[in-house]
Amino acid sequence: MNKNRKAYLLSIPLLMFAGLISAPLMAAENWRTVSAETFSLLWKDLTYTRLQVDPQQALPASGDILAPDYAKQIIIEYKIGVSAERFRSMTDKALTGAYSPAELAPAKADITLFSSWYKSVERGQQYRLVWLPERGLQLYLNEEHLGVIHDPNAAALILSVWLGRAAVSESQRDTMLAAWRRAAGDQ
């Protein structure tokens, strides 16, 4: 048998096995963009942000996008550079301004851990926050996986910096949530 043909035939089971392993990951990430907006301050574009949800899931019974059984992801492409320290201070300020110390206390370790993963970004780079109920809140910089928070309450607090009462930009939050509600009505 020809050497190339033998290598080809041996590679088929490996490719099939790889497909079996990766298939569940791909199926869990069947996202639908429900909001895509450029957010600006005065005349300067800051971010291009997309909110995505799994279109196969039912809406949360509570009507709250932060519900722990509801998969979602936020992809934020930066139009300007931002330091890691700025991300950390922004997250801390947003959370401490919106929640009492008693509300934050149970999640403090997870919030601190999450904030420690922040890295500085340059124009064109993106952060992606992915909440999958069975996997937790994952943070990516471009495609680099930075870490995962498994506690759903800590994850909801962190995500509230974009989608909840701790929102750094209330207009961004309101725009994304209004688009999500419209898209939910279209289902």
Side-chain angles (χ1 to χ4, degrees), residues 60-74:
S62 65
D64 184 358
I65 196 166
L66 296 175
D69 60 342
Y70 193 74
K72 62 223 142 237
Q73 78 172 351
I74 305 166

Side-chain angles (χ1 to χ4, degrees), residues 143-175:
E143 291 305 313
E144 177 187 359
H145 185 258
L146 301 176
V148 61
I149 299 294
H150 293 284
D151 179 66
N153 295 322
L157 286 169
I158 293 164
L159 285 167
S160 78
V161 171
W162 293 271
L163 298 173
R165 77 182 206 213
V168 171
S169 169
E170 291 177 2
S171 66
Q172 176 181 3
R173 176 203 59 206
D174 294 347
T175 298

